[in-house]
Amino acid sequence: KDSDVSIRRRALALVYALVTADNIGTLMKELLEYLVVSDVEFKADLTHKIVDLVKKFSPSKRWHVETFVRVLEQAGAYVEDQHCHQFLALVSQTPELQAFAVRTLYRAVFEQRHARA
């Protein structure tokens, strides 16, 4: 949260390197909170790293969906097409996840529309 971009990039690289399956929940919460307030020039890299961590260390498929949707809500313009395709493949190839994913996405769209109104 330093004003120096190079320090923030190094801090992100450090956090990224420290994430494991054991601490993904705690560190992801911090990363998502930072994503909301991060500068525009930093969002693309941060978003890419968050999505990469979600793919690597997701404790469950439901958590994966919830977290990916939060990333879409906060920085959807910065999510790469390949990540969206991978997310859609996960959902389409996991029938027991499909209803949950639809509800989660619907809720996100609904909440954003009402927040703007």
Side-chain angles (χ1 to χ4, degrees):
K1 299 177 185 176
D2 195 281
S3 61
D4 185 340
V5 174
S6 64
I7 291 174
R8 285 185 286 167
R9 287 198 191 283
R10 282 183 274 168
L12 174 60
L14 177 62
V15 170
Y16 182 76
L18 292 174
V19 174
T20 66
D22 294 330
N23 64 15
I24 184 72
T26 303
L27 291 178
M28 185 57 65
K29 189 176 184 180
E30 293 292 325
L31 288 168
L32 289 170
E33 288 174 6
Y34 185 60
L35 182 60
V36 174
V37 297
S38 65
D39 296 333
V40 173
E41 72 270 1
F42 198 62
K43 275 194 192 287
D45 190 34
L46 180 57
T47 301
H48 178 82
K49 286 188 175 0
I50 288 172
V51 172
D52 190 41
L53 291 170
V54 168
K55 288 188 312 186
K56 278 186 190 175
F57 298 113
S58 182
S60 72
K61 291 179 180 179
R62 289 174 70 100
W63 185 90
H64 186 124
V65 168
E66 290 172 336
T67 306
F68 190 82
V69 170
R70 285 193 61 200
V71 173
L72 287 174
E73 288 176 301
Q74 296 169 9
Y78 300 94
V79 176
E80 297 173 14
D81 288 347
Q82 72 180 29
H83 292 137
C84 290
H85 292 294
Q86 291 166 350
F87 174 75
L88 292 173
L90 170 70
V91 172
S92 67
Q93 294 169 4
T94 314
E96 66 274 10
L97 192 62
Q98 292 169 0
F100 176 75
V102 169
R103 283 190 308 272
T104 304
L105 286 163
Y106 178 79
R107 189 172 332 145
V109 170
F110 183 80
E111 288 172 1
Q112 279 205 336
R113 290 186 87 191
H114 286 285
R116 291 181 188 173

